[in-house]
Amino acid sequence: MANMKQIAKTAGVSLGSVSHVLNGSVSVSDALRKRVMDAVEAVGYQPSQLARGLRRDKTNMIGMIIPDISNPFFPAVVRGAEDVAFAAGYRLILCNTDNSHEKELVHLNELRTYLPAGLIVIPSSFSDLTTQARSYKQAGTSVVCVDRLPRDWEGNSVTVAHEEGACVATNHLIRIGHRQLAVIAGPLHLTNAQERLAGFKRSLKQSKIAISAEYIQESTFDRQAGYAKSLVLLRLVPRPTAIFASNDLIALGVLQAAHELGLRCPEDLSVIGFDNLELGEYTNPSLTTVHQPGYQLGARAADILLAQVSGRQQSVQHVVLKTDLILRGSVGPPSEKKKISRPARAILMS
Amino acid sequence: MANMKQIAKTAGVSLGSVSHVLNGSVSVSDALRKRVMDAVEAVGYQPSQLARGLRRDKTNMIGMIIPDISNPFFPAVVRGAEDVAFAAGYRLILCNTDNSHEKELVHLNELRTYLPAGLIVIPSSFSDLTTQARSYKQAGTSVVCVDRLPRDWEGNSVTVAHEEGACVATNHLIRIGHRQLAVIAGPLHLTNAQERLAGFKRSLKQSKIAISAEYIQESTFDRQAGYAKSLVLLRLVPRPTAIFASNDLIALGVLQAAHELGLRCPEDLSVIGFDNLELGEYTNPSLTTVHQPGYQLGARAADILLAQVSGRQQSVQHVVLKTDLILRGSVGPPSEKKKISRPARAILMS
DNA sequence: TTGTAGGCGTTATCAG
DNA sequence: CTGATAACGCCTACAA
């Protein structure tokens, strides 16, 4: 591969002059510039990002740490970040943690040695990102946290209004007549799961609806766990007429459980998810859900990073994006049959 | 960040000895090794991948170039590659091309300056990868092509048996009684689309079924185009009783078109897709499809790369993975109503 | 305006 | 077996 020395020789100038032309570090004569640029064209020279990074103490790489690219919510986030980064000449190093903080730590430690321009992180469960980020920041590398925040996080963040979104969704259920509400929360050590649950509760409180504890189930963010918790909820008496699932994968499990128990959706049970994954359009019935702007989440995170790298922006940024309630087939008013089915169930159980 | 010089000072040995211990390049005394390792532990030293790469003329990075991470087929491929790479100490640089060969070229040219250990590429449309790969290989960097191959590709490849899969799927349709078959092919400049179409045709030929040209439609690999082409097919007389869609996204479009035309699936129309995306489980009816092992595609590609980087393997590798026909609800035997509907249509048109 | 030279953190070669 | 030293390709004072 061609290097600056060869350019210098080809152009008949010194190595330093080539650098000056390439970086515009000092003003050079037009003649010199032309000779250099011609040589650059001639050999198709591209500067070594490795050497440049080593010398400048900073590369054009951005470390992107996420739980799992094959979880359907994350690709959009990554794509958003990559588009913004690419346009500015930065490249993404993709790291999957599987929500393991050990794996996250391995990545965090190794990425440091790449001297990345910045880090975009969707923290793992029980992440120790706060400590790590301090040491990154000390080295002048900024870190942006996306979607959920580790404990005591004070750095940059881009999230959606989880609580607001959940509250709006629950309000909708209440407005169309549901009173027997239940929720399947995500893992409550995750801030996004906490906030979504808080939104659900806030809505109930505002409408002065009280529910007992067993109508609130905690689950992991996947379909299987959602299915299992649904079975618990759907056997409660009185049976909930609507379930707010903290993400679409859980909602899929709810739909499955309802189907297997012979409950019609939305007649017997309304379901709302969260995320607006593409597959929610294709379920039967299609899934009403809270749209989360995944692409924007990544894009804004990259924006923040680039602004800070370039020095345009110093202060810590907190961006909160809005959600949208997407109405589809899985939600409807509660049916009146409840009054019949309740005693029937009671007899069955006695 | 700690560097080798500091380790050397802490341990009271020379810089060179630290390197020898760390790389096992020459044998060292246990005493020296211990002193060095203790110092390494003490400061949490991690070698600079930048400096190491510059010096060794090769980094632990693998360039992964794909069309679009937010296309639901690709995340699994990336994840497979990342898992294998990560376990061997390699990291992935993720590049999206949007199927633009210009963008691909930008990535190809820039990645070179990172001195990557290898490249895993799902080529863009009209890719010039063949030329580029030659220059990479010349520099000792191997390239593996995944899923589809550019023209004249002679390098490493990992693909699935597209033709075989399509043939098996079509055979199934024929076996259960379909004779009015149609296909929506992918973009025929892509080898995978070509092969799938070839498999469809081979099946027909083997069963001595002839169809006229308008029952073969070419489309792009997305739902919208699939929908548009479906409308064309479903207005043909006689109407096809089964459509083989060259991927699941197209199949989604077929399902949508059928629904809008008031056709029941599978009673009036059977549909088979290709890929086995997760969302095919949730459509109504659920989608019969040809499963493509995405994760394995990526994992095997990384395997090949690592084997060649380590020198374990020199020769060009061609891996072809098998597909599986996944039977779900969108396929059934053709109904007998055809005999009524054909004249009815004919009258309508006169 | 142009050129020179030192050093970023490593590895590898060669003396001791 | 250990240590000194010259690159790898680039940037940036500083000197000319």
Side-chain angles (χ1 to χ4, degrees):
Chain A
M1 274 187 43
N3 59 20
M4 281 176 45
K5 195 146 71 177
Q6 292 168 42
I7 301 292
K9 198 162 61 182
T10 310
V13 300
S14 81
L15 207 168
S17 296
V18 175
S19 176
H20 289 143
V21 170
L22 258 33
N23 297 295
S25 34
V26 304
S27 59
V28 294
S29 71
D30 287 350
L32 197 158
R33 168 175 296 105
K34 180 166 172 20
R35 295 178 63 184
V36 170
M37 293 313 282
D38 285 352
V40 164
E41 286 297 319
V43 304
Y45 167 78
Q46 302 245 137
S48 161
Q49 295 296 338
L50 246 38
R52 177 175 280 189
L54 185 60
R55 182 57 234 249
R56 290 190 183 166
D57 226 67
K58 192 149 301 259
T59 62
N60 67 340
M61 304 177 207
I62 292 177
M64 177 129 204
I65 303 182
I66 64 173
D68 178 14
I69 190 65
S70 50
N71 176 319
F73 176 62
F74 299 120
V77 184
V78 171
R79 189 61 215 263
E82 210 260 349
D83 276 1
V84 170
F86 176 74
Y90 290 82
R91 304 296 174 254
L92 243 47
I93 300 186
L94 184 70
C95 307
N96 295 104
T97 64
D98 290 314
N99 265 325
S100 141
H101 62 283
E102 287 96 344
K103 218 171 157 191
E104 185 184 78
L105 197 57
V106 170
H107 281 127
L108 249 10
N109 281 330
E110 170 160 335
L111 278 176
R112 213 190 307 267
T113 77
Y114 289 137
L115 307 178
L119 251 43
I120 299 177
V121 185
I122 300 181
S124 69
S125 307
F126 311 108
S127 171
D128 189 32
L129 186 60
T130 302
T131 313
Q132 291 290 317
R134 240 191 296 276
S135 103
Y136 267 98
K137 191 124 48 170
Q138 197 176 337
T141 306
S142 39
V143 179
V144 182
C145 219
V146 177
D147 186 44
R148 34 166 122 144
L149 276 23
R151 291 248 154 264
D152 308 322
W153 182 251
E154 294 178 340
N156 303 297
S157 66
V158 183
T159 54
V160 303
H162 298 288
E163 178 172 340
E164 177 71 12
C167 185
V168 167
T170 312
N171 283 346
H172 178 73
L173 292 173
I174 294 172
R175 188 180 326 115
I176 63 176
H178 291 277
R179 291 299 177 271
Q180 295 296 340
L181 297 161
V183 61
I184 302 182
L188 290 176
H189 54 83
L190 261 29
T191 52
N192 52 2
Q194 286 167 19
E195 292 173 21
R196 291 174 199 176
L197 177 57
F200 173 81
K201 286 180 173 174
R202 176 152 65 92
S203 170
L204 257 55
K205 195 165 185 178
Q206 285 170 354
S207 295
K208 304 198 195 311
I209 295 176
I211 62 174
S212 57
E214 64 268 31
Y215 288 81
I216 300 177
Q217 294 286 325
E218 182 177 350
S219 162
T220 48
F221 272 142
D222 58 282
R223 178 179 163 209
Q224 278 205 319
Y227 171 78
K229 297 301 182 179
S230 302
L231 291 180
V232 174
L233 289 178
L234 294 175
R235 283 176 180 139
L236 292 175
V237 178
R239 177 164 24 83
T241 60
I243 294 181
F244 171 59
S246 286
N247 81 350
D248 284 353
L249 262 17
I250 293 176
L252 249 31
V254 179
L255 251 27
Q256 184 190 351
H259 183 74
E260 289 184 9
L261 293 180
L263 297 172
R264 292 164 308 159
C265 177
E267 293 82 353
D268 302 323
L269 179 72
S270 286
V271 180
I272 291 191
F274 203 111
D275 279 351
N276 191 24
L277 300 184
E278 192 183 3
L279 48 76
E281 295 176 43
Y282 305 112
T283 54
N284 183 27
S286 56
L287 190 62
T288 290
T289 190
V290 180
H291 171 75
Q292 207 178 168
Y295 184 93
Q296 290 303 323
L297 233 31
R300 294 299 299 273
D303 280 337
I304 292 177
L305 228 48
L306 296 178
Q308 295 188 348
V309 166
S310 70
R312 264 178 290 138
Q313 176 66 254
Q314 302 284 354
S315 61
V316 172
Q317 303 282 99
H318 293 287
V319 172
V320 179
L321 301 175
K322 285 198 320 189
T323 60
D324 284 307
L325 182 59
I326 309 287
L327 296 175
R328 297 209 192 91
S330 66
V331 167
S335 86
E336 292 304 316
K337 290 186 188 165
K338 246 184 346 180
K339 285 152 192 167
I340 307 166
S341 75
R342 236 213 285 181
R345 262 200 107 76
I347 290 162
L348 238 116
M349 302 195 65
S350 63
Chain B
M1 273 186 45
N3 59 20
M4 282 177 43
K5 194 145 73 178
Q6 293 168 43
I7 301 290
K9 198 162 62 182
T10 311
V13 300
S14 80
L15 207 172
S17 296
V18 175
S19 174
H20 289 142
V21 169
L22 260 30
N23 297 297
S25 35
V26 305
S27 59
V28 293
S29 71
D30 287 350
L32 197 159
R33 167 175 296 106
K34 182 166 172 21
R35 294 178 65 182
V36 170
M37 293 313 281
D38 285 352
V40 164
E41 286 297 319
V43 305
Y45 168 78
Q46 301 245 138
S48 161
Q49 295 294 338
L50 247 39
R52 175 174 282 187
L54 184 59
R55 185 56 235 250
R56 292 218 259 232
D57 225 68
K58 191 148 302 258
T59 63
N60 67 340
M61 305 177 206
I62 292 177
M64 176 126 204
I65 303 182
I66 63 173
D68 178 13
I69 190 64
S70 51
N71 176 318
F73 176 64
F74 299 120
V77 183
V78 172
R79 190 59 214 265
E82 209 261 348
D83 276 359
V84 170
F86 176 74
Y90 290 81
R91 305 296 175 252
L92 243 48
I93 301 186
L94 184 71
C95 308
N96 295 103
T97 64
D98 289 315
N99 265 324
S100 141
H101 62 283
E102 287 96 346
K103 218 170 157 191
E104 185 183 78
L105 196 58
V106 170
H107 281 127
L108 248 12
N109 281 330
E110 171 160 334
L111 279 176
R112 215 191 306 266
T113 75
Y114 288 133
L115 306 178
L119 252 43
I120 299 176
V121 185
I122 300 181
S124 69
S125 308
F126 311 107
S127 171
D128 189 32
L129 186 60
T130 303
T131 313
Q132 290 291 316
R134 239 191 298 274
S135 104
Y136 266 98
K137 190 126 43 171
Q138 197 176 338
T141 306
S142 39
V143 179
V144 182
C145 219
V146 177
D147 186 45
R148 34 165 123 145
L149 275 23
R151 292 247 154 265
D152 308 321
W153 182 250
E154 294 178 340
N156 301 297
S157 66
V158 183
T159 53
V160 303
H162 298 289
E163 178 171 339
E164 176 71 12
C167 185
V168 167
T170 312
N171 283 346
H172 178 74
L173 292 173
I174 295 173
R175 187 179 329 116
I176 63 176
H178 291 277
R179 291 298 176 273
Q180 296 295 341
L181 296 161
V183 60
I184 303 182
L188 291 175
H189 54 84
L190 262 28
T191 52
N192 53 1
Q194 287 167 18
E195 292 174 21
R196 291 175 200 175
L197 177 57
F200 173 81
K201 286 181 172 171
R202 175 153 65 92
S203 170
L204 258 55
K205 195 165 188 180
Q206 285 170 355
S207 295
K208 305 197 193 313
I209 296 176
I211 62 176
S212 57
E214 63 267 31
Y215 288 81
I216 299 177
Q217 294 287 325
E218 181 177 351
S219 162
T220 47
F221 272 142
D222 59 282
R223 179 179 161 208
Q224 277 205 319
Y227 170 78
K229 298 301 180 178
S230 302
L231 291 181
V232 174
L233 289 178
L234 294 175
R235 283 178 181 136
L236 291 175
V237 178
R239 175 159 32 79
T241 61
I243 294 181
F244 171 59
S246 287
N247 81 350
D248 284 354
L249 261 18
I250 292 176
L252 248 32
V254 179
L255 252 26
Q256 184 190 351
H259 184 76
E260 289 184 10
L261 294 180
L263 297 172
R264 291 164 308 159
C265 177
E267 293 82 354
D268 302 323
L269 179 72
S270 286
V271 180
I272 292 191
F274 204 110
D275 280 351
N276 191 25
L277 300 184
E278 192 184 2
L279 48 75
E281 296 176 44
Y282 304 113
T283 53
N284 183 26
S286 57
L287 189 63
T288 290
T289 188
V290 179
H291 171 75
Q292 207 180 166
Y295 184 93
Q296 289 304 324
L297 234 31
R300 295 299 300 273
D303 280 337
I304 291 176
L305 227 48
L306 296 178
Q308 296 187 348
V309 167
S310 70
R312 264 178 290 139
Q313 178 64 256
Q314 303 283 356
S315 60
V316 171
Q317 302 283 99
H318 293 287
V319 172
V320 179
L321 301 175
K322 286 197 322 190
T323 59
D324 284 307
L325 182 59
I326 309 286
L327 297 175
R328 297 210 191 90
S330 65
V331 167
S335 86
E336 292 305 315
K337 291 185 186 164
K338 245 185 347 182
K339 285 153 192 166
I340 308 167
S341 77
R342 235 212 286 181
R345 263 201 104 77
I347 290 165
L348 238 114
M349 301 195 67
S350 63

